[in-house]
Amino acid sequence: MTAQSGLAFVVAVVDVGKGEKILSLFREEHALLDYVCMAHGTARTEMLDLLGIGETAKAVVFCLAASGQAQRILNRLGKELQMRYPGRGIAFTIPVSGIGRRWHSLLTQADEQEEIRMNKSEQTGFDVVAVVMERGYTNVAMDAARKAGARGGTVISARGIAENEVKRFFGIEIQAEKEIVFLVVKSAEKKQIMTELMRAVGTRTRSHGLILSMPVSDAIGLAD
């Protein structure tokens, strides 16, 4: 229950036209879970001109991978897509501090039962809990999270890309259209919130949810 998860999110924010290149690289690295959603840049026009960026519409492309694999993907993005240079988009990794063991088994090829796999380290006292699930279950997830002490969340829509491996591993039909709920929670409450979410919208439910947490390295504006 306290072993390192050994997983990380790789996140790339690029102009919309480059999204497919990012996805192709993820697939070459055999990342089993990748998602893409649309976003909009907030930089002022004069800054875009200075950087040589012609559009503010963005694609946010991310995948979940083992830590070593995540670093390799980041290195390839920097080298092959030249994202190490200004104006080519940004990419970063976020360590995963907790995840259901069944999903951990899929991503690391370990044989584990359905529990929550947690990291020992706590940083700022807050974590981000993310729930990736099929559309239509946001209220169910939020009701479960509030029951365990969460105060609110942010929802975005996305589309799953690499679903075939997940279907074979779990033996369930998974829809491409997703909703992703992000909740900033106190680290002391994280385990209970994740447990309630797993019961309500986890892999054994109709929403087939992936529940994981990521450490917050710094934060402002969070209520005590």
Side-chain angles (χ1 to χ4, degrees), residues 13-30:
V13 184
V14 296
D15 289 342
V16 172
K18 297 179 181 178
E20 285 298 327
K21 293 182 180 179
I22 305 294
L23 287 172
S24 295
L25 191 149
F26 287 174
R27 292 180 188 129
E28 289 175 10
E29 289 291 337
H30 305 291

Side-chain angles (χ1 to χ4, degrees), residues 72-93:
R72 186 169 64 248
I73 291 172
L74 197 66
N75 291 339
R76 289 190 61 187
L77 289 173
K79 182 178 180 180
E80 298 176 25
L81 277 72
Q82 299 185 323
M83 293 180 67
R84 66 181 73 176
Y85 302 110
R88 307 295 176 88
I90 63 172
F92 52 92
T93 61

